[in-house]
Amino acid sequence: MMKLKTLLVATATAFTMASAFAAPAGTWSLGVGAGYVMPDSDNGSVLDGALEVDVDGDVRPTITAEYFVADNFGIELLAATPFKHDISLSDADGNVIDARTKHLPPTLSLQYHFDGADMPVKPFIGVGVNYTTFFDERIYLANGNDLDLDDSVGVAGHVGVDIPFSASEAVRVDARYIDLESDVKLNDQDIGTAEINPWVFGVSYVKNF
């Protein structure tokens, strides 16, 4: 949560600062690239602490669309192809149960873009809401056990820079922090919460229209 609070404070500060217009109201941008979802190093535990949860990262193609509702202010939607994560459930003796899941993490953000004639890069910052839906969960135990991760809704912070190489095109490098926790069920019984809370690092090509 401290990481998310830091991004939110930076966002509030950015909204109070003045700069030249980065893009006029009515402008659209489209971005195509790749995102790496890196879950927090501590993903919590289940079964009253008997099993520690560890979720690995994944890279997938991403697409963003942003509409500038006012000069400098845009509303962006992030979408991606499904991410796949291997999950390890470990007990105190070192025994490991393997599992996996897939998810889609659409994220809607309000963003502020900085600009200036002498700025070689165009930074931006934003805050929004993430909805993550999990599917195709599996746990590798005998007897047909059923694993289920509940969908998650949480706050998402966003920072990045656009590096222009033409009047309407840029390379974007960005990072998001998502407040993402999912209730875990095994055979329809609640067993705890997976605290995923990932950073999402991205690189993309962006074009303004």
Side-chain angles (χ1 to χ4, degrees):
M1 288 299 296
M2 288 303 298
K3 298 173 184 176
L4 182 58
K5 289 178 181 177
T6 300
L7 281 176
L8 294 179
V9 170
T11 300
T13 302
F15 286 171
T16 67
M17 298 177 64
S19 68
F21 294 147
T27 299
W28 281 92
S29 76
L30 182 68
V32 178
Y36 172 58
V37 173
M38 185 180 75
D40 193 7
S41 58
D42 181 4
N43 302 136
S45 62
V46 295
L47 291 175
D48 295 325
L51 295 176
E52 295 293 326
V53 180
D54 182 67
V55 183
D56 77 349
D58 192 26
V59 178
R60 284 291 184 267
T62 59
I63 185 169
T64 59
E66 185 172 11
Y67 178 71
F68 284 81
V69 294
D71 295 326
N72 281 11
F73 287 90
I75 295 177
E76 182 207 61
L77 177 64
L78 166 71
T81 59
F83 289 87
K84 178 181 175 181
H85 297 277
D86 291 326
I87 303 170
S88 298
L89 305 173
S90 306
D91 66 16
D93 296 324
N95 300 305
V96 178
I97 301 170
D98 293 322
R100 79 173 195 191
T101 188
K102 295 180 180 178
H103 81 269
L104 288 170
T107 304
L108 188 67
S109 301
L110 173 64
Q111 305 194 141
Y112 182 87
H113 293 253
F114 299 88
D115 196 16
D118 58 346
M119 295 176 65
V121 299
K122 314 299 182 184
F124 62 88
I125 193 164
V127 64
V129 60
N130 166 264
Y131 174 76
T132 296
T133 181
F134 295 91
F135 59 97
D136 197 20
E137 302 99 321
R138 297 187 183 182
I139 187 166
Y140 298 102
L141 289 171
N143 303 321
N145 289 274
D146 181 49
L147 179 70
D148 182 68
L149 277 71
D150 285 352
D151 293 351
S152 169
V153 178
V155 179
H158 191 199
V159 294
V161 294
D162 290 336
I163 307 169
F165 58 88
S166 79
S168 62
E169 299 172 288
V171 172
R172 174 169 294 178
V173 180
D174 64 346
R176 303 172 197 263
Y177 183 77
I178 298 175
D179 180 21
L180 197 172
E181 298 186 358
S182 174
D183 292 332
V184 183
K185 296 178 181 177
L186 183 63
N187 301 325
D188 292 326
Q189 300 297 314
D190 292 330
I191 62 171
T193 301
E195 301 171 1
I196 302 172
N197 299 327
W199 283 96
V200 183
F201 300 101
V203 177
S204 58
Y205 162 79
V206 178
K207 182 173 177 60
N208 291 338
F209 298 91

